[in-house]
Amino acid sequence: MKATLLFQGRTLSADDFDLRCRRSAAVLQAQGIGDGDVVALMMRNSPEALELLIAVRHLGAQWVPVNWHFKTDEVQYILGNSGARLFIADAALLATLGGLQPGAARVFSTRGQTAGVPAWEPLRDAAAPIATPPAAPRGAMFYTSGTTGRPKGIVRDAMTPEQQAASLALRRMAYGIEPGMKALLNAPIYHSAPNSYALGVAQVGGTLVLEERFDAERTLQLIEQHRITHAYLVPTMYVRMLALPPEVRARYDLSSMQMVASTGSPCPPDVKRAMIDWWGPVINECYGSSELGYMTLLTSEQALRKPGSAGAVLPGVTLKILDDDGRELPNGTPGLIYIHQPAFADFSYIGNPEARAKMERHGLKTMGDIGYLDDDGFLFIVDRQADMVISGGVNIYPLEIESVLHGMPGVADCAVFGIPDDEFGEALAAAVQTMPGTQLTDEAVRAWLRERMAGYKVPKVVTFHTELPREDTGKIFKRKLREPYWAGRARRV
């Protein structure tokens, strides 16, 4: 994996980066990390972050990318649930985790010094590099939430050589991964798709321009400066670049771009068309998940013919639309989307075999999305069976927020759900039923949540109610709360 890396004005040659990766692997090995062990990484985009995930992979171990927005309790849960033996984090992020009890995980800091915590870089620089990686490396252990409100750890089996080859071929198709590419990545690599994208660029020996965070105009500058050929972007980034003044957008030469990959959340058709009009037919969109991998691909040409589609099924993938009884539905009829992706190894959820078993039927698996296939075989997603909200490509699980909000004095009950947002696709709204005689403010609710959860989980809209609409069973009727916000919209997610 000899990628050339550009970051904040400095360049790491392919040989230098490879040496750093193998030295970090040696330090991990000296710490007792080997096949099947787990290392948690809480790091902003940086050469050190990519170096460490590759080093973990060298040893046949698994890395857990921890969202750097997470607060102490959220990080602590993941460390314990994953069985992480090491926790390596940016020093600036460690400083935000007051009172962290890492359990069995030994802690190291990167990109700075933290009092009482050994720094990673001196250990790496003093290590003798290890040899080549194992024949069957494992992947990342991503965390995704479910009905319990706590994240679920996805444990993937080791890939066979055939699956490794098939997976790389799919990445080439879905992301444009190819030797000689000059790729830009400014989405956080704690998410599964950017993580996979960075790894793919490294696997083919490409050049990766890595940014710590997204900035709309800087993205255009970097494309022109480095003659970028490939990029991973999400719809929220499109919206922000399109919002730049016309004279700024016209200032930069983007003619080097060959392929832009996008996943995470649906791209509104008007945004997609505007990007194609500006950048040319280089905008591509995939539908997939951390558990099941890539399922469909929509090219620019297809997006113009099939606005709103999630794309055509990728080669080798089986995709069926089933009703609640498992019967296959005809084209044009919405139902649950079930797929089989043989290029990805099977998986389980840590300590939650029931959730894993529930999603499978006839050898196919579903993430709970509802959609239909048209007569040309293109997938259209119309809703989600669960209440998950996708905001700016980030999965947010209302039950987790509701659980925290239930602990706030004066809150009798609550419901958190997604509402339309022109920039992020969806935003969060909270409907709060207050206790009799209690008065709360929306800012008080946000402050309560902000102290206990990552900022992106704090609702944009908070409303107060004496009673919330309920089904006969007593369950809150979220659909009635959501509908006024989505009225007149062509899409429901």
Side-chain angles (χ1 to χ4, degrees):
M1 289 193 176
K2 291 193 173 185
T4 300
L5 221 56
L6 283 72
F7 181 76
Q8 295 182 341
R10 60 191 175 105
T11 300
L12 273 173
S13 71
D15 286 339
D16 287 344
F17 182 64
D18 176 63
L19 181 60
R20 282 173 48 150
C21 291
R22 292 190 292 115
R23 280 178 167 166
S24 275
V27 180
L28 290 169
Q29 198 172 59
Q31 293 293 324
I33 299 301
D35 185 58
D37 289 325
V38 176
V39 178
L41 304 173
M42 187 175 180
M43 307 172 70
R44 293 181 182 269
N45 286 9
S46 65
E48 289 78 10
L50 185 55
E51 161 196 328
L52 276 163
L53 74 86
I54 290 174
V56 173
R57 190 177 185 274
H58 273 359
L59 301 175
Q62 290 186 292
W63 64 96
V64 179
V66 180
N67 187 326
W68 46 258
H69 291 95
F70 280 0
K71 302 295 174 64
T72 301
D73 178 67
E74 295 166 304
V75 174
Q76 216 159 264
Y77 173 78
I78 287 178
L79 293 180
N81 184 258
S82 67
R85 296 187 59 189
L86 294 184
F87 176 47
I88 307 174
D90 287 346
L93 296 175
L94 275 177
T96 69
L97 302 178
L100 178 70
Q101 298 177 13
R106 296 188 299 281
V107 182
F108 293 85
S109 69
T110 59
R111 305 179 70 196
Q113 184 64 53
T114 302
V117 177
W120 187 260
E121 285 81 1
L123 297 174
R124 176 202 67 203
D125 293 343
I130 67 165
T132 54
R138 295 180 184 269
M141 182 190 295
F142 293 105
Y143 268 77
T144 182
S145 289
T147 55
T148 63
R150 278 290 198 179
K152 297 194 300 289
I154 304 167
V155 183
R156 197 173 296 284
D157 298 342
M159 297 178 76
T160 65
E162 293 76 17
Q163 285 172 327
Q164 290 181 57
S167 177
L168 184 56
L170 272 179
R171 273 204 291 257
R172 287 187 176 124
M173 186 177 298
Y175 292 159
I177 301 295
E178 61 184 10
M181 69 189 298
K182 289 184 177 179
L184 172 65
L185 181 63
N186 46 30
I189 60 175
Y190 61 71
H191 285 312
S192 59
N195 197 285
S196 175
Y197 191 84
L199 201 57
V201 176
Q203 281 183 289
V204 299
T207 296
L208 182 64
V209 179
L210 188 64
E211 288 284 285
E212 189 169 280
R213 58 177 58 87
F214 172 78
D215 177 88
E217 185 174 358
R218 179 164 170 79
T219 296
L220 306 182
Q221 292 172 336
L222 290 169
I223 292 171
E224 179 182 74
Q225 178 184 349
H226 297 291
R227 305 304 294 160
I228 297 294
T229 59
H230 295 67
Y232 176 89
L233 301 168
V234 299
T236 299
M237 297 174 180
Y238 297 156
V239 171
R240 292 183 178 178
M241 289 189 292
L242 288 165
L244 291 169
E247 64 273 16
V248 173
R249 289 171 50 185
R251 190 177 296 156
Y252 300 99
D253 177 7
L254 311 178
S255 61
S256 60
M257 289 300 309
Q258 298 174 17
M259 182 167 182
V260 178
S262 179
T263 63
S265 62
C267 185
D270 57 337
V271 173
K272 178 77 69 69
R273 180 177 290 275
M275 284 299 297
I276 294 170
D277 289 344
W278 179 17
W279 288 30
V282 299
I283 309 297
N284 299 269
E285 184 175 358
C286 272
Y287 167 60
S289 72
S290 300
E291 290 93 333
L292 306 182
Y294 327 111
M295 308 175 199
T296 67
L297 172 65
L298 186 72
T299 66
S300 290
E301 183 273 332
Q302 291 169 338
L304 298 177
R305 284 195 296 113
K306 302 280 187 178
S309 172
V313 179
L314 285 163
V317 174
T318 300
L319 188 152
K320 294 183 178 182
I321 308 297
L322 305 181
D323 66 13
D324 290 341
D325 297 319
R327 294 172 298 204
E328 191 167 358
L329 293 168
N331 290 344
T333 303
L336 279 171
I337 303 167
Y338 280 83
I339 75 117
H340 173 58
Q341 171 53 284
F344 285 76
D346 201 3
F347 72 95
S348 59
Y349 289 127
I350 297 175
N352 199 340
E354 298 83 5
R356 171 62 182 80
K358 187 177 179 181
M359 68 192 298
E360 186 162 356
R361 174 172 270 171
H362 310 319
L364 305 172
K365 306 176 189 72
T366 183
M367 296 308 303
D369 292 330
I370 296 172
Y372 66 88
L373 291 168
D374 72 4
D375 290 336
D376 296 320
F378 282 79
L379 178 67
F380 288 79
I381 300 171
V382 298
D383 212 334
R384 284 189 294 270
Q385 188 182 47
D387 290 328
M388 183 183 76
V389 175
I390 301 179
S391 181
V394 179
N395 293 352
I396 306 174
Y397 298 87
L399 186 59
E400 183 184 12
I401 303 166
E402 292 163 0
S403 298
V404 174
L405 198 49
H406 278 132
M408 182 177 183
V411 173
D413 210 346
C414 62
V416 177
F417 50 93
I419 61 175
D421 184 280
D422 290 337
E423 182 177 15
F424 291 96
E426 287 184 280
L428 289 173
V432 177
Q433 180 178 326
T434 55
M435 291 180 178
T438 300
Q439 287 191 336
L440 296 175
T441 65
D442 54 355
E443 187 49 44
V445 169
R446 291 194 192 94
W448 174 271
L449 292 171
R450 198 175 290 116
E451 290 174 3
R452 293 161 175 82
M453 310 189 81
Y456 66 81
K457 299 177 184 179
V458 177
K460 179 180 179 180
V461 173
V462 180
T463 58
F464 297 95
H465 308 257
T466 54
E467 289 289 339
L468 293 173
R470 297 179 186 274
E471 300 181 47
D472 292 339
T473 60
K475 183 179 179 181
I476 296 173
F477 219 139
K478 282 192 179 181
R479 181 171 61 82
K480 290 186 177 181
L481 293 168
R482 291 177 80 243
E483 279 180 346
Y485 295 94
W486 292 92
R489 299 262 178 167
R491 62 187 181 89
R492 305 296 294 175
V493 294

